[in-house]
């Protein structure tokens, strides 16, 4: 069965520091991969996605992610974190079949220190 | 425009009440979804509509009844809910282009409290 693992439940970084959030997936073929961000009490906002092609994907708000097939990973990065980036981040996988079903990781809560 | 709207934003209901959650999108998407999200957890898929037909029901109790009146609207009818049904209910939509490369866009959610 497909699964998504986000090993870090909670991360704290200082404002201006770099950020990397980890995501590993378990799936036989190349999946479609997503990162969403959720501020408290809000819906999910799409940050970026990977379907095929260039393995380094640029997203909104200065985020990027790199698909590494050999490591089954799709880690999210940002070179300089802003206080407004504090939120919950979800990695998700869609196997691309007919069911349009997203499998979410458990999420990583990002706190930003001034 | 990638906007999905949901009403109401907040809802408080008793266990004997009947209420409905509404979701709307005007992106021409043909797939629409209901998710339930408990605090500090990822969203859990409840229902998927594809071309206005129910395509996935994730074994959701019958006290939740989805309805898709047209391609832009999705309702979730609630009846005889339990306190454990209190959660954030999220609606999403996607193009359903059948090439598998679907991107789901989420609404802001309805915060439901069952007393």
């Amino acid at each position: 069965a497909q699964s998504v693992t986000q090993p870090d439940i909670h991360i704290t970084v200082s404002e201006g520091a770099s950020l990397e959030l980890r995501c590993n997936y378990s799936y036989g073929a190349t999946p479609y991969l997503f990162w969403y961000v959720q501020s408290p009490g809000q819906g999910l906002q799409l940050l970026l996605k990977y379907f095929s092609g260039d393995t380094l994907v640029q997203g909104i708000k200065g985020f990027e992610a790199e698909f590494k097939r050999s490591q089954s990973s799709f880690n999210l990065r940002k070179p300089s974190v802003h206080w407004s980036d504090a939120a919950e981040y979800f990695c998700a996988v869609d196997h691309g079949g007919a069911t349009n079903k997203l499998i979410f990781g458990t999420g990583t809560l990002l706190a930003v220190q001034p | 425009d990638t906007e999905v709207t949901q009403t109401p934003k907040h809802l408080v209901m008793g266990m004997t009440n009947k209420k409905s959650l509404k979701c709307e999108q005007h992106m021409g998407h043909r797939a629409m979804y209901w998710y339930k999200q408990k605090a500090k957890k990822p969203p859990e898929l409840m229902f998927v509509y594809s071309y206005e037909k129910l395509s996935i029901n994730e074994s959701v109790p019958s006290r939740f009844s989805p309805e898709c009146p047209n391609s832009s609207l999705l309702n979730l009818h609630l009846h005889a809910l339990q306190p454990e049904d209190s959660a954030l209910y999220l609606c999403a939509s996607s193009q359903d282009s059948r090439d598998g490369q679907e991107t789901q866009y989420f609404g802001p959610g309805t915060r439901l409290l069952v007393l």
Side-chain angles (χ1 to χ4, degrees):
Chain A
Q2 301 162 68
S3 65
V4 179
T5 302
Q6 293 181 247
D8 304 304
I9 296 173
H10 188 223
I11 283 183
T12 299
V13 300
S14 297
E15 191 168 15
S18 63
L19 171 70
E20 182 168 27
L21 302 183
R22 296 182 291 164
C23 173
N24 292 94
Y25 65 90
S26 171
Y27 181 61
T30 300
Y32 302 139
L33 297 156
F34 305 83
W35 276 99
Y36 287 90
V37 61
Q38 185 177 34
S39 296
Q42 302 296 311
L44 276 68
Q45 181 181 24
L46 178 70
L47 284 176
L48 46 78
K49 61 188 177 185
Y50 173 78
F51 288 155
S52 64
D54 192 344
T55 56
L56 185 62
V57 180
Q58 301 298 319
I60 62 171
K61 304 186 180 189
F63 286 93
E64 67 177 27
E66 186 170 12
F67 169 60
K68 292 186 177 180
R69 185 191 306 274
S70 61
Q71 298 176 18
S72 296
S73 69
F74 189 55
N75 294 349
L76 182 71
R77 300 193 294 249
K78 186 170 185 177
S80 177
V81 170
H82 188 261
W83 63 266
S84 59
D85 294 324
E88 185 93 35
Y89 291 79
F90 291 101
C91 181
V93 166
D94 179 351
H95 65 63
T99 57
N100 298 340
K101 196 168 171 179
L102 281 179
I103 309 297
F104 284 93
T106 50
T108 297
L109 183 62
L110 174 66
V112 180
Q113 286 180 336
Chain B
D1 182 12
T2 56
E3 189 177 26
V4 177
T5 59
Q6 291 186 243
T7 55
K9 287 187 178 182
H10 302 275
L11 179 62
V12 180
M13 60 186 292
M15 289 190 283
T16 58
N17 292 159
K18 285 185 182 181
K19 296 287 184 183
S20 296
L21 309 185
K22 296 186 185 305
C23 174
E24 190 166 4
Q25 56 86 16
H26 294 289
M27 296 178 276
H29 289 174
R30 301 311 298 269
M32 297 187 76
Y33 311 75
W34 280 116
Y35 288 84
K36 174 182 178 180
Q37 186 180 25
K38 301 286 275 185
K40 302 189 186 303
K41 297 289 187 183
E44 298 173 13
L45 183 65
M46 301 174 73
F47 303 104
V48 181
Y49 273 83
S50 176
Y51 288 78
E52 297 152 55
K53 288 185 168 37
L54 184 64
S55 62
I56 294 179
N57 177 342
E58 292 288 284
S59 303
V60 179
S62 60
R63 58 185 184 267
F64 295 91
S65 175
E67 177 196 20
C68 190
N70 60 56
S71 60
S72 300
L73 292 173
L74 185 66
N75 298 322
L76 186 62
H77 303 297
L78 314 172
H79 174 53
L81 293 193
Q82 304 296 311
E84 60 265 28
D85 296 321
S86 299
L88 181 67
Y89 288 83
L90 294 164
C91 174
S93 71
S94 69
Q95 200 162 8
D96 203 3
S97 56
R98 305 296 170 90
D99 67 358
Q101 296 185 358
E102 290 295 298
T103 301
Q104 292 186 31
Y105 295 93
F106 285 80
T110 293
R111 175 73 61 189
L112 174 66
L113 177 62
V114 182
L115 300 176

